[in-house]
Amino acid sequence: MNDNFGPSGTVLVAGGAGFLGSHLCKRLIHEGQRVICLDNLLTGRRENVQALLDNSLFSFVLHDVVEPIPLDISATHIYNLACPASPRHYQADPVHTLLTCVYGSRNLLELARKCGARILQASTSEIYGNPHVHPQPESYRGNVNTVGMRSCYDEGKRCAETLFSDYGARWHLPVKIARIFNTYGPGMAPDDGRLVSNFILQALNGSPLTVYGDGSQTRSLCYVDDLIEGLVRLMNTPPLFHGPVNLGGPQENTVLEIARLICKLVKVEESFQFFPLPSDDPEQRCPDIALARRCLKWQPATGLEAGLRKTIDYFAHDAAYEPQEAQGDVSGTLGHDSGINL
């Protein structure tokens, strides 16, 4: 088994041109790792990794993980972040989303078998569904609708966890499973339909902030740099430690509290538009991170206000957003009232 996580190793980041993937690629390159970024650019963006393209340690491969991985690719460590993560994007082609979770995981796991690589699955808090246990520990099995609007993603990620677990048991692969909770920060796509990007864009545009339900549903937010630190620490745990491990912010806020804080930081008057809460929207979402604290010595280091300030600055100055009415968290073909505050 190859554990040389150093300059002589090669790290494959599937979904490396996405929000989290690009931050991970930059972190690994900064540490002197050789990185292969694999992405079909369905939701990932080439501009996310543009600054790395001239770096000799970085390679970009345009490829969909649903298809077999090119035979000439080899790696010592594999991060599987290849899947649309916002409802707007993963509901646009739900069949492809499900196949990405299942076929993509299998293809990358087979590559890990061939190369003797460590492999990490970026799973999600969505596997808990609309939870009946709060906060959610890794032992909680969830409350998920198998035939709902979010099922392609929720069930796809649950199946991927099963594949990782079974590959680890059958072929003694050092697999790692991270359950990622809501993450935000610079580099978010303006059109991804997520709570933080929506609210910030609407506040910067002087538009009312779109809130679904009465805004009392809760979310816990984790700044992207902290999340990437958690992924790297999990990858470097002993081979027999597989997880799953929750990675997210343990501070819980209502959607309305987050909206009001963003209005305060952008320095605009509070103004909200309320729409009906869609089906399967979780009422509470907050991780129990006791396992991460114990086994990874990890917890978020960036406060919510500090992280939001950096994200607002990104959208105001670096993202080159075009003033428009930012819509709610909707899928590609559904109406405005089908949004969710993710």
Side-chain angles (χ1 to χ4, degrees):
M1 190 61 62
N2 201 332
D3 281 330
N4 56 325
F5 194 55
S8 61
T10 298
V11 186
L12 174 66
V13 182
F19 169 48
L20 295 182
S22 59
H23 277 272
L24 178 60
C25 288
K26 293 169 186 175
R27 160 76 181 261
L28 297 172
I29 291 291
H30 180 73
E31 293 178 349
Q33 309 300 324
R34 186 175 294 108
V35 174
I36 300 172
C37 170
L38 192 76
D39 205 296
N40 64 0
L41 298 181
L42 183 65
T43 57
R45 299 182 296 163
R46 189 180 293 271
E47 54 263 39
N48 284 345
V49 294
Q50 188 67 40
L52 300 177
L53 294 177
D54 293 330
N55 193 308
S56 62
L57 293 174
F58 183 79
S59 302
F60 179 81
V61 178
L62 182 64
H63 184 77
D64 190 330
V65 294
V66 169
E67 304 299 329
I69 307 300
L71 294 176
D72 59 344
I73 289 182
S74 181
T76 56
H77 296 74
I78 301 169
Y79 289 86
N80 181 19
L81 282 71
C83 187
S86 75
R88 170 178 289 175
H89 291 149
Y90 67 63
Q91 292 171 6
D93 188 345
V95 172
H96 187 267
T97 296
L98 184 62
L99 294 179
T100 299
C101 291
V102 179
Y103 287 6
S105 292
R106 181 180 183 275
N107 288 335
L108 291 169
L109 285 161
E110 285 295 324
L111 177 64
R113 281 186 67 200
K114 182 184 79 170
C115 298
R118 287 172 171 244
I119 181 167
L120 183 148
Q121 165 67 5
S123 190
T124 173
S125 61
E126 293 290 319
I127 66 101
Y128 297 121
N130 190 4
H132 293 161
V133 173
H134 190 75
Q136 294 85 59
E138 292 85 354
S139 59
Y140 178 53
R141 297 181 182 180
N143 174 41
V144 179
N145 180 358
T146 62
V147 292
M149 291 172 54
R150 306 159 75 103
S151 304
C152 60
Y153 184 71
D154 301 0
E155 291 298 282
K157 289 289 190 177
R158 287 163 70 96
C159 187
E161 286 196 11
T162 302
L163 276 171
F164 268 71
S165 177
D166 288 344
Y167 264 76
R170 183 171 181 182
W171 285 291
H172 307 291
L173 279 180
V175 300
K176 314 291 178 181
I177 300 172
R179 290 178 178 167
I180 298 172
F181 283 68
N182 296 57
T183 305
Y184 71 99
M188 298 182 79
D191 64 346
D192 69 1
R194 293 172 184 256
L195 177 148
V196 170
S197 54
N198 275 0
F199 283 171
I200 290 175
L201 284 170
Q202 290 173 326
L204 288 172
N205 292 335
S207 303
L209 275 60
T210 302
V211 177
Y212 295 93
D214 61 6
S216 63
Q217 65 271 38
T218 65
R219 297 294 181 267
S220 58
L221 303 178
C222 183
Y223 189 65
V224 61
D225 290 352
D226 294 330
L227 190 282
I228 297 303
E229 176 67 25
L231 292 179
V232 171
R233 291 194 185 197
L234 177 57
M235 178 64 90
N236 285 306
T237 52
L240 294 180
F241 181 80
H242 298 164
V245 179
N246 288 337
L247 295 177
Q251 176 186 343
E252 189 177 8
N253 295 94
T254 68
V255 166
L256 205 53
E257 286 172 343
I258 296 168
R260 285 174 169 152
L261 177 57
I262 288 173
C263 287
K264 172 187 172 184
L265 296 177
V266 177
K267 298 180 180 179
V268 296
E269 185 177 349
E270 293 181 3
S271 179
F272 309 114
Q273 282 185 314
F274 293 88
F275 291 87
L277 193 67
S279 62
D280 298 329
D281 190 58
E283 297 173 8
Q284 292 183 299
R285 183 60 59 75
C286 185
D288 181 335
I289 62 168
L291 182 62
R293 286 190 174 112
R294 184 171 70 252
C295 295
L296 308 183
K297 310 302 180 188
W298 176 90
Q299 63 181 6
T302 308
L304 180 59
E305 185 167 327
L308 286 176
R309 287 185 185 279
K310 294 178 182 179
T311 311
I312 291 167
D313 186 66
Y314 164 75
F315 278 111
H317 301 106
D318 300 329
Y321 74 96
E322 295 182 3
Q324 58 184 338
E325 182 182 359
Q327 296 298 304
D329 195 351
V330 297
S331 67
T333 59
L334 298 176
H336 183 84
D337 63 350
S338 297
I340 47 180
N341 290 125
L342 179 70

